[in-house]
Amino acid sequence: MGGCVLVVEDERKIRDVLRHYLEHRGLSVLTTGSGAEAIDLLDRAHVDLVVLDLGLPDVPGEEVVHRAVRGLGIPVLMLTARAEVEDRIRGLRQGATDYVTKPFSPREVAARVVTILSRTCTALRSIPTFGGGRLTVDADRRLVSVDDEPVDLTVSEWRLLLALTTRPGRPLGRVELMDQIRPAHHDGSTRIVDTHIKNLRRKLDRPGATEPGQDRSVIETVTSVGYRFALPPDHH
Ligand code: CA
């Protein structure tokens, strides 16, 4: 996965637990208990995000925020004690992205780190998934999987699925879908769309999903319009 997080925290126990949770999410982790060393590391190492305890013994936390955000454009997630309201406000003024108040759940900190990185770090941009991870559509690599099993699609099926999943919940007309397969070269007949949708359903649905009376296909028929992608998108 990649992505490097610098954890700046003078309490060793917190440092270690954060390292554990962040490494578990596939990130590489640097740690230090000193603000001065953090500023030095920011200049020397490739860091994608800083998790920063504002209450450091040597340097005011906001100086580290300033160096990371203003100097290098690196996002900062601050860890602050409840009493450090003023420090937190100063940190946010320096451009810190977010903060978590102590005591915190390390799992929550790791989740926030991944969220910030998925917005800021293109290498970590998340791949769209639907229906609670049931279906994955990786447009860059042209890979589709259902329940973690890869699915082979023809070019036309892939184009239709991409059109449907980039507008989840929205009904798309047969002509609009036809344009995805053969732009400007069709004779008005859209029967081929129905054939491809039938094949897509066979490949993507759980067995028995389209039994009579219970249309629970991932692709729903919208009467007299066309089709709609039925799985809700997951929020990463
Ligand atoms: Ca501290």
Side-chain angles (χ1 to χ4, degrees):
M1 185 183 182
C4 179
V5 178
L6 171 61
V7 176
V8 190
E9 163 65 75
D10 56 307
E11 277 179 66
R12 191 191 177 129
K13 243 177 155 174
I14 299 181
R15 248 184 2 238
D16 290 347
V17 78
L18 286 177
R19 172 194 286 279
H20 173 81
Y21 275 83
L22 292 167
E23 285 180 346
H24 186 70
R25 301 295 295 252
L27 300 161
S28 54
V29 180
L30 298 169
T31 62
T32 173
S34 142
E37 199 193 356
I39 289 170
D40 185 46
L41 272 170
L42 281 172
D43 288 328
R44 286 192 294 112
H46 174 90
V47 173
D48 297 301
L49 184 145
V50 181
V51 175
L52 172 72
D53 172 30
L54 276 185
L56 292 170
D58 58 341
V59 169
E62 64 180 285
E63 270 187 38
V64 181
V65 178
H66 183 87
R67 181 72 199 127
V69 179
R70 302 257 187 248
L72 299 160
I74 300 169
V76 175
L77 175 63
M78 300 184 290
L79 308 174
T80 80
R82 247 169 240 293
E84 294 170 337
V85 180
E86 289 303 318
D87 295 345
R88 184 195 309 159
I89 290 168
R90 275 199 295 273
L92 289 170
R93 279 209 192 109
Q94 289 296 335
T97 307
D98 202 356
Y99 66 89
V100 176
T101 310
K102 291 182 180 182
F104 52 77
S105 129
R107 191 188 300 267
E108 190 200 341
V109 172
R112 294 232 202 155
V113 164
V114 169
T115 303
I116 297 169
L117 283 175
S118 66
R119 284 201 307 260
T120 57
C121 181
T122 42
L124 300 178
R125 188 162 292 149
S126 55
I127 295 157
T129 63
F130 299 87
R134 241 208 92 193
L135 179 78
T136 304
V137 182
D138 181 345
D140 287 339
R141 293 188 299 158
R142 261 198 66 175
L143 294 175
V144 176
S145 61
V146 175
D147 295 329
D148 295 324
E149 292 287 328
V151 179
D152 274 332
L153 298 182
T154 66
V155 175
S156 295
E157 288 162 5
W158 165 253
R159 286 180 183 165
L160 287 179
L161 183 67
L162 204 59
L164 287 160
T165 55
T166 47
R167 303 162 185 86
R170 206 191 105 190
L172 298 182
R174 283 185 176 77
V175 173
E176 197 175 350
L177 289 169
M178 192 69 206
D179 284 338
Q180 303 295 324
I181 313 175
R182 288 180 204 162
H185 286 293
H186 55 88
D187 55 7
S189 164
T190 55
R191 229 175 321 155
I192 186 99
V193 169
D194 299 313
T195 307
H196 288 312
I197 294 287
K198 197 171 144 207
N199 291 333
L200 268 175
R201 283 173 168 165
R202 185 171 45 77
K203 292 178 179 181
L204 303 177
D205 286 346
R206 291 203 169 105
T210 44
E211 299 284 303
Q214 46 172 328
D215 186 359
R216 278 184 299 175
S217 172
V218 299
I219 301 167
E220 283 175 358
T221 304
V222 183
T223 311
S224 72
V225 179
Y227 297 98
R228 164 170 63 204
F229 189 71
L231 290 183
D234 300 327
H235 297 287
H236 294 277

